[in-house]
Amino acid sequence: MAAPNTPAAKTERLLNLTMSLLSSRIPVPKQRIRRMVEAYQLVESDEAFDRMFERDKEDLRAMGIPLVTEDIGVFEDEQGYRIDQREYALPPVELAADERAVVGLASRAWAHATMAGTAATAWRKVAASDEVGEDPFAGLEPQLGGAEPAFEPLKDAVLTATSVRFDYARPGTDGAAPRRVEPWYLTAWHGRWYLVGHDLDREATRVFRLSRITSAVTLTRDPTTVPIPDDIDPVRMIAAVDGREPTQTPAVLRVRTDAGHWLRRRADRVEPVDEQWDRVHLHHPGLRGFASEIASHGPDVVVEEPTELRDAVIDHLRAVVDVHEGSIR
């Protein structure tokens, strides 16, 4: 179990609280909740437990979990808590045939990753219909990542939030030095892949170009301890290190209301268009990389301006078609 005051411990406590309340069909009094959730059992005083429980209730409600408070028993001030299962359950996800096809194709990107089994299971559930077969993408293999040997283990480390060790050769120095890093982002910039993370020895955020990693990457199995800063911009950091500071060019995108969350987060402003679309105004650092990002959203993002960005997205999609031309049976 994680230390009681760490983010991991809080996540575990909230999850256990949620599962405990979901498993009960009747409202559960607070003292019984304290016995059901292990983290609450470790709290020394009633006052500390009350404070922790009140914070946890607010956190659950802030996350949209329908936590209900009801009077129970013969005493008016005795309350119980439950989660309304009907409100908690998600509605059925209905995808059109082409949307299921995209999900299945995306799952193939995990074919050699640690999530391969999970992705395959998810795909079987999504594709459980007569309209899409079990394997409609034979011969079509999406490609993820670069040619550097460090890419695969670093990808796994980012996905699992696991610290890594490797030897790194800085430009202008002789030889390579060992580094211990908590990985945050793997990002492509001007045809090269970079790792952005927390350097444990230097106690600072650092950027590492994968082509300069001279040794095998070792996953330490130690979980990361430094949270990713909310305001970190990996592209900006990489551009500064690479010596090619990106120019900020304005763009206007039409984005579906339930999509493009990372684009919305970087937006200068977002304007509603109708029930299905929003207009997102933002600045982008580079034409090619931004076009690739937009193309990854498929039909959920449409470029309104500038024209050169729209043309770059079209060129990117055509290039993908050319790569796989003749590979679909």
Side-chain angles (χ1 to χ4, degrees):
M1 177 180 288
N5 295 323
T6 64
K10 181 177 180 180
T11 300
E12 179 182 350
R13 187 175 71 246
L14 292 176
L15 179 60
N16 289 339
L17 174 58
T18 301
M19 298 307 295
S20 297
L21 295 178
L22 279 173
S23 64
S24 178
R25 300 192 176 202
I26 60 175
V28 183
K30 186 164 61 174
Q31 289 307 315
R32 185 181 170 197
I33 293 174
R34 186 175 185 180
R35 296 192 299 269
M36 294 169 64
V37 178
E38 183 179 359
Y40 292 152
Q41 300 173 17
L42 304 177
V43 179
E44 296 180 356
S45 66
D46 293 339
E47 292 78 7
F49 163 68
D50 288 340
R51 290 193 298 270
M52 180 181 289
F53 183 60
E54 289 300 318
R55 289 195 300 267
D56 289 349
K57 286 194 302 180
E58 294 303 317
D59 287 339
L60 290 184
R61 287 168 176 151
M63 290 186 287
I65 296 177
L67 179 62
V68 178
T69 303
E70 296 181 354
D71 293 330
I72 59 175
V74 297
F75 301 105
E76 294 183 358
D77 59 348
E78 187 175 7
Q79 293 181 325
Y81 303 88
R82 66 180 180 87
I83 292 176
D84 190 324
Q85 297 189 16
R86 292 172 299 180
E87 294 292 331
Y88 181 79
L90 294 174
V93 178
E94 298 182 1
L95 301 177
D98 57 342
E99 293 172 326
R100 286 195 296 272
V102 172
V103 173
L105 183 59
S107 73
R108 297 288 288 271
W110 301 104
H112 305 291
T114 56
M115 290 181 64
T118 303
T121 301
W123 164 240
R124 282 194 293 271
K125 293 179 179 179
V126 170
S129 73
D130 295 332
E131 298 182 42
V132 179
E134 177 70 19
D135 191 9
F137 309 105
L140 181 58
E141 293 293 338
Q143 297 179 351
L144 175 67
E148 294 90 348
F151 180 87
E152 284 293 330
L154 288 177
K155 170 179 67 67
D156 293 341
V158 171
L159 291 173
T160 58
T162 304
S163 300
V164 293
R165 295 196 306 265
F166 53 79
D167 293 340
Y168 188 75
R170 293 182 58 192
T173 60
D174 296 330
R179 297 294 184 96
R180 296 186 308 126
V181 179
E182 294 189 352
W184 291 342
Y185 294 100
L186 267 180
T187 304
W189 171 251
H190 286 280
R192 298 189 179 100
W193 281 92
Y194 295 81
L195 172 71
V196 177
H198 180 75
D199 190 317
L200 291 169
D201 295 316
R202 291 155 182 80
E203 297 187 353
T205 302
R206 290 290 186 267
V207 174
F208 304 92
R209 200 167 90 185
L210 267 61
S211 60
R212 292 189 179 129
I213 296 177
T214 62
S215 68
V217 175
T218 301
L219 276 68
T220 66
R221 306 302 175 189
D222 296 330
T224 57
T225 58
V226 179
I228 302 175
D230 292 335
D231 59 349
I232 192 170
D233 185 340
V235 172
R236 173 69 67 181
M237 292 184 61
I238 293 167
V241 171
D242 193 47
R244 290 179 282 190
E245 185 71 11
T247 57
Q248 292 292 312
T249 305
V252 181
L253 311 176
R254 192 154 31 93
V255 182
R256 290 192 192 274
T257 54
D258 58 348
H261 301 295
W262 179 238
L263 295 170
R264 295 171 183 275
R265 183 177 177 181
R266 289 146 49 196
D268 299 322
R269 71 180 188 275
V270 177
E271 304 168 345
V273 176
D274 52 36
E275 293 182 355
Q276 295 185 352
W277 296 94
D278 293 327
R279 183 169 287 111
V280 176
H281 299 256
L282 76 168
H283 287 71
H284 65 90
L287 191 64
R288 186 172 65 175
F290 194 49
S292 176
E293 180 183 356
I294 293 174
S296 69
H297 290 279
D300 291 332
V301 178
V302 177
V303 178
E304 293 190 346
E305 55 183 79
T307 302
E308 56 267 24
L309 177 59
R310 182 168 60 248
D311 293 341
V313 173
I314 294 172
D315 291 343
H316 182 89
L317 293 172
R318 285 174 174 167
V320 172
V321 173
D322 292 340
V323 168
H324 297 292
E325 186 175 8
S327 63
I328 304 177
R329 296 203 294 262

